[in-house]
Amino acid sequence: MKCLVTGGAGYIGSIAVKELITKKHEVIVVDNLSKGIKKLVNKKAKFYKLDLTNYKSLSKVFQKHKPEIVMHFAGYKAVEESMQNPEKYSDNVIGTANLLKCMNENKTKKIIYSSTAAVYKPHNKTVTETDELEPNNYYGETKRICEQMILWFSKIYGIKYTIFRYFNVIGDGGLNYIDPEATNVLPIIMEVVMNKRPELQIFGTNYPTRDGTCIRDYIDVIDLVDAHIKSLNKANNEIINLATNSGTSVKELVSEVEKALNITVPKKNKGRRAGDPPTLVASNKKAQKLLKWTPKISLKKSILATYKAYN
Ligand code: UFG
């Protein structure tokens, strides 16, 4: 299949490109390299440095390659930044609008879209796909708007979609991607382990959870990419959570790292970070059923893979 991958030089996209190439697909990558790293893009893929907000350049790539399918990973994703610089995050919407326009003009059949847990209204039960949506930050709102655009383009033009709502993605797919501006907890813990930061600040220890710290559903990036590959010709017009069905608190995550690496991580209890829901854990039953997919990689393995990437 001829597959165009946006964000194909990024953390998740670069692994997807590698897997697609391994499975003998033809791959075209577009990435603005704002956080992507060009050398991670498999040499067998065609690469274009461009920003999705540039419709003209994007359109030329579509006209030249006529992709059959799009995997759309590109987008800004830092929750806190989206509340300080919303204009930047509007590009998530503009880029997706341009992409859908190009897909329609060039008869691309399907989009596989990276959405997020941040579209849901926070509550303390296990999240399912039919739960109410109510993003509580602008990043989540841009993803919800893009989901809606995709649904409408599907209704009006018949473009097929699989929308994946990612929970907390961790691990490394063998390409050693290091986030140049880490904001997520495991990369930050690794920076502490590597002496690039003095300590981990634990944001909030008085949440209504088993140990007072926030609980998240950590899913390995290899399992996540596997679901994308499986959806190339399955799960059409479906919205699917990618999660493990089980939660880990910040304190539990730190202690897993300490056990796996046999070290002590310096840490300090801090106040809550604005906008953090206490618990975010999702059911993955729908993914299991529609994709015959199940996450296989343990938390310990993800931690060890991340550590390896930093060394
Ligand atoms: N945390 C700390 N210290 C840190 C960083 C994070 O204690 O230095 C805590 C956070 O407060 C939170 C947990 O670790 O309780 C996880 O935080 P992350 O920043 O790693 O992840 P989030 O759950 O905030 O965000 C992730 C994705 C977003 C997505 C969101 C969905 O990174 O893209 O899940 O809610 F939108």
Side-chain angles (χ1 to χ4, degrees):
M1 227 180 246
K2 206 186 265 190
C3 187
L4 184 136
V5 181
T6 76
Y11 170 47
I12 304 170
S14 59
I15 301 166
V17 169
K18 179 183 78 164
E19 286 306 307
L20 285 164
I21 298 273
T22 306
K23 299 209 153 45
K24 307 274 180 257
H25 295 286
E26 191 180 332
V27 182
I28 304 109
V29 170
V30 297
D31 197 304
N32 69 2
L33 297 182
S34 69
K35 279 190 114 186
I37 300 166
K38 183 154 180 234
K39 70 172 198 293
L40 299 187
V41 179
N42 190 289
K43 297 278 173 299
K44 288 188 181 145
K46 288 243 156 43
F47 178 82
Y48 294 90
K49 180 178 184 293
L50 69 85
D51 195 292
L52 297 181
T53 56
N54 185 342
Y55 167 75
K56 263 196 182 160
S57 304
L58 184 64
S59 175
K60 276 189 199 145
V61 174
F62 266 82
Q63 282 167 34
K64 181 158 185 217
H65 295 285
K66 299 277 175 198
E68 299 161 81
I69 195 156
V70 165
M71 280 195 193
H72 181 21
F73 295 101
Y76 300 111
K77 68 167 187 82
V79 170
E80 226 171 1
E81 187 190 38
S82 77
M83 301 300 282
Q84 291 148 1
N85 186 1
E87 293 80 4
K88 176 173 173 183
Y89 282 72
S90 295
D91 283 358
N92 287 351
V93 177
I94 299 164
T96 304
N98 285 340
L99 194 60
L100 288 167
K101 182 167 155 65
C102 289
M103 285 180 67
N104 185 45
E105 286 165 349
N106 293 278
K107 305 201 170 18
T108 308
K109 293 190 184 72
K110 179 169 177 176
I111 181 165
I112 300 170
Y113 180 60
S114 307
S115 187
T116 169
V119 297
Y120 288 111
K121 180 174 184 171
H123 60 64
N124 283 333
K125 294 186 297 287
T126 302
V127 176
T128 62
E129 289 83 353
T130 50
D131 283 350
E132 195 180 341
L133 304 188
E134 193 183 296
N136 66 349
N137 53 66
Y138 188 56
Y139 160 71
E141 187 63 73
T142 65
K143 289 285 174 174
R144 176 167 76 165
I145 295 168
C146 291
E147 285 193 5
Q148 295 298 321
M149 286 197 299
I150 291 168
L151 262 48
W152 280 108
F153 269 68
S154 178
K155 216 177 264 185
I156 298 167
Y157 293 123
I159 290 174
K160 292 182 188 131
Y161 63 86
T162 304
I163 291 173
F164 285 123
R165 292 183 181 147
Y166 302 169
F167 282 68
N168 290 60
V169 188
I170 57 167
D172 184 81
L175 295 177
N176 302 332
Y177 177 88
I178 304 278
D179 192 332
E181 298 149 18
T183 57
N184 293 121
V185 64
L186 189 56
I188 286 175
I189 293 173
M190 287 305 155
E191 290 185 359
V192 175
V193 172
M194 303 308 293
N195 291 318
K196 289 196 180 125
R197 285 179 193 249
E199 71 213 353
L200 169 72
Q201 304 190 332
I202 298 182
F203 297 142
T205 51
N206 61 352
Y207 283 100
T209 57
R210 48 186 178 259
D211 62 16
T213 64
C214 288
I215 293 178
R216 294 289 180 272
D217 190 329
Y218 294 97
I219 171 141
D220 192 274
V221 66
I222 293 177
D223 284 328
L224 187 99
V225 166
D226 181 39
H228 288 67
I229 303 288
K230 290 195 158 83
S231 73
L232 283 171
N233 40 32
K234 261 195 229 135
N236 285 336
N237 304 343
E238 299 284 354
I239 297 179
I240 300 172
N241 288 336
L242 290 180
T244 66
N245 230 338
S246 85
T248 305
S249 75
V250 176
K251 279 190 179 163
E252 287 164 352
L253 180 67
V254 176
S255 100
E256 285 293 325
V257 171
E258 292 180 331
K259 265 196 282 168
L261 304 180
N262 197 21
I263 50 160
T264 303
V265 176
K267 48 201 162 295
K268 201 179 222 169
N269 294 341
K270 286 285 190 178
R272 294 181 177 193
R273 188 174 70 175
D276 276 343
T279 302
L280 206 47
V281 176
S283 159
N284 60 15
K285 274 202 188 117
K286 191 170 177 185
Q288 294 209 28
K289 188 167 166 239
L290 296 182
L291 298 171
K292 310 266 174 288
W293 168 91
T294 174
K296 295 192 177 75
I297 297 174
S298 66
L299 188 57
K300 184 179 175 189
K301 263 195 159 176
S302 301
I303 291 167
L304 290 172
T306 308
Y307 179 66
K308 197 164 164 249
Y310 275 78
N311 278 277

